[in-house]
Amino acid sequence: MTPSYKGRFAPSPTGFLHVGNAWVALLAWLDARRAGGSFILRIEDLDEARSRPAYRQAILEDLRWLGIDWDEGPDVGGPSAPYEQRRRRGLYEQVLARLMAKRELYPCFCARSRLLSIASAPHGLFADEPRYDRRCLRLSDAERAALAAAKAPSLRLHVADDALVTVDDRLLGSTTARPSEGGDFVVRRADGVIAYHLAVVVDDHAMGVTDVIRGADLFPSAFRQAYLAERLGYATPRYAHVPLVVDEDGRRLAKRHGDLALRSLRQLGVPSERLVGMLLWLAGQMDRPEPVRPAEAVRAFDLGRVPRVAVVWREAYTAQLKANAGS
Ligand code: GLU
């Protein structure tokens, strides 16, 4: 029996949702609904210093404005509650204890300045990041105890050198890589904050997520997350990494594009149907950008028609959305 489809959208409440987030949320929601599946909203607020309650609340309102609903989430509850990561710490700590007992983790005392001086992987999926040189893996027990007396460590996953992971992405095809090329990654920071990779893997499993649709910037993460899932005995979800939406200079849409916050568009009186129509046209789902509600687009939705390369959001589109808005 194939498990029924369960999708999710997992934003971090560190700013207002913008057009780029709406793109991901919309594609994830439509694919889930097209498959007759259910949809989860999970708030990824592990980093409490960067998360704000006001943004958390705004995410729910802005998604509803867009016309997206969810079967499980912070406001509606569900079988895997709570749906806010800051309230799931006990579960992450249990999983960390399990990994620790299996000797898959080790404490790392290296200072940030030292980590930044380590050279990046020369090429491949993880080329942008420094690859940890395992200095702390080689500490003796005495050295470790001495360091631990002075400083709280982060915890790293010891990634087996020879492990190969294949990610069969619905849009990007099949790719096999060695997660060890990215180095041993942090699963709990020195300040106690649970790292993104651990929380996502634990939650997708605990919540029964079968399908992960998210931005292509997270494609390299899939190899680490699939590796971690495998170490924990979890099934890996099916992945689809959708292209990023970028501005005319090729920069991904982000908080700096303040006028593309869903909140700003809404306050100007832009009908959400216009934005949804524009995004679905860019996603290869419509011939022209015509106003549409997400629910009206479910039947004809086909993820396979989404482009494979970055989608450019032109200034003219913003102007088109705003034309006669609120009048
Ligand atoms: N919380 C992550 C973000 O805001 C997304 C996590 C995921 O989809 O795996 O970028």
Side-chain angles (χ1 to χ4, degrees), residues 8 10-12 42 44 196 200 204 212-214 217-218 225:
R8 48 64 155 194
S12 302
R42 182 172 73 224
E44 305 215 319
Y196 158 68
V200 164
D204 282 342
V212 169
I213 296 191
R214 60 186 180 189
D217 54 323
L218 294 173
Q225 292 170 9

Side-chain angles (χ1 to χ4, degrees), residues 108-309:
C108 174
F109 299 92
C110 290
R112 206 177 136 71
S113 52
R114 172 165 195 277
L115 296 175
L116 290 173
S117 70
I118 299 174
S120 306
H123 50 75
L125 281 169
F126 304 103
D128 295 344
E129 326 164 29
R131 181 175 187 275
Y132 185 57
D133 59 3
R134 289 186 169 161
R135 174 151 115 173
C136 288
L137 181 64
R138 296 186 294 266
L139 295 173
S140 67
D141 287 347
E143 286 169 325
R144 199 167 279 147
L147 286 164
K151 167 172 204 272
S154 64
L155 292 177
R156 286 184 188 272
L157 185 75
H158 184 183
V159 181
D161 288 323
D162 55 354
L164 283 174
V165 170
T166 298
V167 170
D168 200 359
D169 188 281
R170 289 167 65 196
L171 287 173
L172 304 176
S174 177
T175 308
T176 299
R178 277 182 207 285
S180 60
E181 278 176 14
D184 295 341
F185 57 89
V186 171
V187 287
R188 191 178 70 198
R189 290 180 357 196
D191 61 5
V193 172
I194 302 290
Y196 158 68
H197 293 306
L198 183 89
V200 164
V201 168
V202 170
D203 285 347
D204 282 342
H205 171 72
M207 296 178 179
V209 168
T210 62
D211 285 75
V212 169
I213 296 191
R214 60 186 180 189
D217 54 323
L218 294 173
F219 182 63
S221 300
F223 294 86
R224 288 175 169 165
Q225 292 170 9
Y227 175 78
L228 183 52
E230 189 207 305
R231 302 311 299 161
L232 288 165
Y234 302 163
T236 314
R238 217 158 54 123
Y239 289 108
H241 290 87
V242 299
L244 296 181
V245 184
V246 299
D247 66 15
E248 291 179 17
D249 298 324
R251 300 178 306 173
R252 63 182 290 208
L253 297 192
K255 269 173 270 181
R256 62 174 168 264
H257 302 86
D259 60 334
L260 291 180
L262 301 189
R263 194 126 287 227
S264 319
L265 296 173
R266 183 174 146 198
Q267 277 159 4
L268 284 173
V270 171
S272 64
E273 294 85 342
R274 267 194 211 169
L275 172 60
V276 171
M278 189 77 79
L279 290 173
L280 290 184
W281 167 66
L282 290 169
Q285 310 293 319
M286 301 203 312
D287 297 336
R288 280 179 307 277
E290 279 169 6
V292 65
R293 302 276 307 153
E296 295 161 348
V298 171
R299 269 194 45 185
F301 184 75
D302 177 3
L303 189 77
R305 290 203 298 259
V306 172
R308 270 51 175 178
V309 292

Side-chain angles (χ1 to χ4, degrees), residues 84-102:
E84 290 153 309
Q85 287 186 328
R86 73 180 191 290
R87 298 172 56 204
R88 299 175 64 78
R89 188 166 184 112
L91 180 59
Y92 309 136
E93 291 291 350
Q94 276 171 30
V95 174
L96 285 173
R98 243 180 84 198
L99 288 168
M100 194 63 109
K102 288 173 57 189

